[in-house]
Amino acid sequence: MRFPMRSSPWIPFLLFFLSSSVTAFQFRMPRLSPIGEKFLYHSKALELPPSDDFKTFYYNQTIDHFNYRPESYTTFPQRYIINFKHWGGANSSAPILAYLGAEAPIDAAMNGIGFMTDNAVKFNALLVYIEHRYYGKSIPFGSRKEALRNASTLGFFNSAQAIADYAAILIHVKKEFNAKYSPVIVIGGSYGGMLATWFRLKYPHVALGALASSAPILYFDDITPQNGYYAVVTKDFREVSQTCYETIRESWSEIEAVASQPNGLSILDKEFKTCSPLRSSTQLENYLWSMYASASQYNHPPRYPVTRICGAIDRTYSGNGTVSKIAAGVFAYRGKLSCYINEPRNATETDVGWQWQRCSEMVMPISTDNDTMFPPHTFDLESFIIYCNRLYGVPPRPHWVTTYYGGHDIHLILQRFASNIIFSNGLKDPYSIGGVLHNISDSLPAVYTTNGSHCLDILSANKMDPEWLVTQRKMEMKALQLSCLQSNQVNHFTGFNVVLMVSG
């Protein structure tokens, strides 16, 4: 089947339009990011500028690592950031901890990914943060407009090129700072955790090991049941409050019933204090769908957004019954605002970039069924192909991730040749259902916490952190620390057999 290339000027417009409009199609595919919405965090660290310890560099990166056509040698400046503060130096063979940037500018990682800075002094480590191509300041073809022009320029925007970028930069860093014998440990969360896993598998000569936090590497090609994500969301809410779960489950038909009345949308506008009038009940439903997913995925202490939502729902008895209860949950989740839902919003880099990545290779089939608190919603691959083709003129490759990186029979396959990857998860995270949750070998452990959430283990430590989280981080750090005590660049981890499930 041939797909015509879309005319170039419309790609940015279409991306803006589709990411700004609330469509059921888009918002029922949950976001991937180590760091959730900023209002979910108790710490103001995310809002602070990075310290002077972080130094910015640019590497002259090759646009296409896998072709020898003349145009493949085109280069672009790729940003990476180094923190030398605690590095023991090349002579001590002190390790390099490399954070692999994901679907966002790298700026938030310096303050947000606290596992790096919190443990740098214990490792005497050099910290390196590498920005993913097409995000932040790592833009090919001279400008964002040109890079996003059409599928021909976007075609170099994929995970294989990204991890090849990381390999080139890490080899360059080791050479530039005479760190030949400094072992490299790559760290990533969410999509970045997938990249860390795949990097260790594809570039074992560059990275001695990897910490892959909340990496749903098995949510492709129907390895994981399609309803797995929302089944966990439902479980999270139901465990907090059975009545809250029942209210949410019943609310979808109640919202439809109100919307069908004369002036029904106006009633919903008033009830939910919308920032602009609803055009349909679907807009409201999509917002709620996304809110519940995000609250569950980023159900971090001490705010625990699922508990906040359910507490407000269960305490509310007045107004329009179920609808008033759901509105109270929205207000509790977001905090005090002048209006909610349909807020003015421009597309972010992540909106634009992840739209392409999802429409090319990151095809994660996520659905709901009658066993969840959501209405049934089936992922239809054919509709998805049509949707992406209308956007870009090229279809997605839904089987490419498992073809290139593997995934099927992962325990059997990785047991045969892989080593030195820590798969960490929190079972409250809906994406954990697509992660590695069982030890594959002593050097491929699955470290998880019963009450953990998305990428919580690699975020900044806080004095209010529960003991089970503190213990999880200590176990991960110990495993990595023991590996760095091995002979230089010996690809064998010791101490992994002590890493078990953390209670809590």
Side-chain angles (χ1 to χ4, degrees):
M1 186 182 238
R2 292 178 62 92
F3 293 88
M5 184 69 68
R6 296 293 170 219
S7 59
S8 58
W10 291 101
I11 291 289
F13 170 77
L14 283 170
L15 288 170
F16 172 81
F17 175 78
L18 286 165
S19 59
S20 297
S21 65
V22 185
T23 65
F25 198 79
Q26 181 176 6
F27 282 85
R28 290 171 191 178
M29 291 180 173
R31 62 176 289 170
L32 272 170
S33 174
I35 302 172
E37 299 289 349
K38 289 183 179 180
F39 65 82
L40 293 174
Y41 293 87
H42 57 271
S43 174
K44 294 184 178 180
L46 295 177
E47 301 172 7
L48 299 174
S51 76
D52 293 337
D53 298 321
F54 295 94
K55 309 298 180 185
T56 300
F57 300 85
Y58 288 88
Y59 178 74
N60 206 28
Q61 189 62 265
T62 301
I63 188 66
D64 184 3
H65 297 284
F66 305 108
N67 204 302
Y68 295 92
R69 296 165 60 184
E71 56 268 32
S72 298
Y73 293 85
T74 302
T75 61
F76 68 95
Q78 184 166 12
R79 181 167 59 154
Y80 65 100
I81 296 168
I82 298 182
N83 186 330
F84 297 92
K85 183 176 181 179
H86 298 292
W87 191 36
N91 291 336
S92 67
S93 300
I96 298 170
L97 301 184
Y99 179 75
L100 305 186
E103 71 284 20
I106 199 67
D107 306 84
M110 276 83 80
N111 289 333
I113 307 302
F115 190 90
M116 299 275 285
T117 49
D118 292 345
N119 293 302
V121 65
K122 299 169 188 174
F123 284 95
N124 294 321
L126 181 71
L127 304 183
V128 180
Y129 303 76
I130 311 176
E131 191 165 64
H132 196 296
R133 59 168 55 199
Y134 285 79
Y135 290 106
K137 296 182 180 179
S138 301
I139 306 299
F141 303 110
S143 69
R144 190 174 306 280
K145 180 180 179 181
E146 190 64 28
L148 303 176
R149 181 168 291 278
N150 57 34
S152 292
T153 54
L154 284 164
F156 304 104
F157 187 1
N158 59 67
S159 62
Q161 298 282 6
I163 62 174
D165 291 343
Y166 301 150
I169 287 177
L170 288 169
I171 290 170
H172 168 75
V173 166
K174 293 186 75 171
K175 182 178 180 181
E176 190 75 7
F177 299 105
N178 300 311
K180 180 178 180 180
Y181 297 108
S182 292
V184 174
I185 307 293
V186 293
I187 296 172
S190 200
Y191 166 55
M194 296 190 221
L195 297 177
T197 301
W198 297 334
F199 189 92
R200 170 62 185 160
L201 297 178
K202 294 291 187 181
Y203 298 94
H205 56 290
V206 179
L208 176 66
L211 171 58
S213 175
S214 299
I217 60 172
L218 303 181
Y219 224 133
F220 297 94
D221 221 4
D222 288 327
I223 299 172
T224 296
Q226 291 191 9
N227 73 332
Y229 182 96
Y230 285 108
V232 176
V233 175
T234 300
K235 182 174 180 285
D236 289 346
F237 276 82
R238 196 170 193 172
E239 287 181 347
V240 167
S241 167
Q242 177 70 20
T243 56
C244 174
Y245 152 78
E246 291 172 355
T247 300
I248 294 171
R249 187 179 173 92
E250 295 166 1
S251 68
W252 311 105
S253 59
E254 292 287 334
I255 289 170
E256 292 285 348
V258 173
S260 66
Q261 299 173 12
N263 299 317
L265 292 179
S266 296
I267 295 171
L268 293 174
D269 285 333
K270 183 178 180 181
E271 192 71 51
F272 286 90
K273 302 180 183 179
T274 60
C275 299
S276 59
L278 293 168
R279 296 190 299 274
S280 71
S281 61
T282 303
Q283 284 185 300
L284 173 59
E285 290 163 4
N286 287 334
Y287 180 92
L288 296 172
W289 199 301
S290 177
M291 180 186 78
Y292 299 139
S294 183
S296 175
Q297 186 168 317
Y298 301 102
N299 195 33
H300 302 334
R303 285 180 60 90
Y304 291 113
V306 172
T307 301
R308 294 171 73 91
I309 290 171
C310 281
I313 287 175
D314 289 344
R315 286 192 303 268
T316 302
Y317 298 100
S318 60
N320 293 322
T322 298
V323 173
S324 290
K325 291 174 179 284
I326 298 300
V330 172
F331 306 151
Y333 176 71
R334 290 302 309 275
K336 189 174 182 180
L337 298 174
S338 59
C339 64
Y340 306 79
I341 309 174
N342 280 355
E343 299 164 85
R345 180 180 178 274
N346 292 324
T348 66
E349 288 186 44
T350 298
D351 292 331
V352 175
W354 192 246
Q355 184 100 331
W356 162 259
Q357 290 190 264
R358 194 173 58 211
C359 265
S360 51
E361 61 176 349
M362 294 295 153
V363 182
M364 304 176 76
I366 298 178
S367 299
T368 58
D369 58 21
N370 288 321
D371 292 330
T372 72
M373 66 184 191
F374 301 90
H377 173 78
T378 301
F379 177 83
D380 180 24
L381 180 59
E382 289 304 314
S383 297
F384 187 65
I385 290 171
I386 292 169
Y387 168 81
C388 293
N389 180 51
R390 285 175 177 169
L391 233 59
Y392 303 105
V394 293
R397 295 180 180 177
H399 311 295
W400 179 242
V401 165
T402 55
T403 300
Y404 191 68
Y405 300 114
H408 293 284
D409 299 315
I410 192 169
H411 286 73
L412 176 64
I413 301 301
L414 294 192
Q415 195 173 53
R416 290 173 174 172
F417 82 95
S419 63
N420 306 350
I421 305 171
I422 301 173
F423 298 101
S424 69
N425 281 282
L427 298 189
K428 296 292 187 184
D429 172 20
Y431 271 121
S432 68
I433 199 73
V436 176
L437 299 178
H438 301 284
N439 292 344
I440 297 174
S441 68
D442 285 350
S443 66
L444 294 168
V447 184
Y448 64 87
T449 56
T450 303
N451 292 319
S453 47
H454 198 64
C455 296
L456 183 58
D457 57 319
I458 63 170
L459 301 184
S460 298
N462 186 280
K463 63 182 180 181
M464 293 180 284
D465 288 337
E467 187 58 35
W468 53 262
L469 176 57
V470 174
T471 301
Q472 180 187 22
R473 287 172 175 152
K474 285 180 179 178
M475 292 172 111
E476 292 169 0
M477 192 274 292
K478 182 178 180 181
L480 297 179
Q481 197 169 40
L482 287 172
S483 74
C484 294
L485 295 175
Q486 302 305 298
S487 300
N488 295 332
Q489 293 293 355
V490 174
N491 287 327
H492 177 70
F493 269 55
T494 64
F496 267 11
N497 56 346
V498 305
V499 182
L500 304 170
M501 183 196 89
V502 182
S503 99

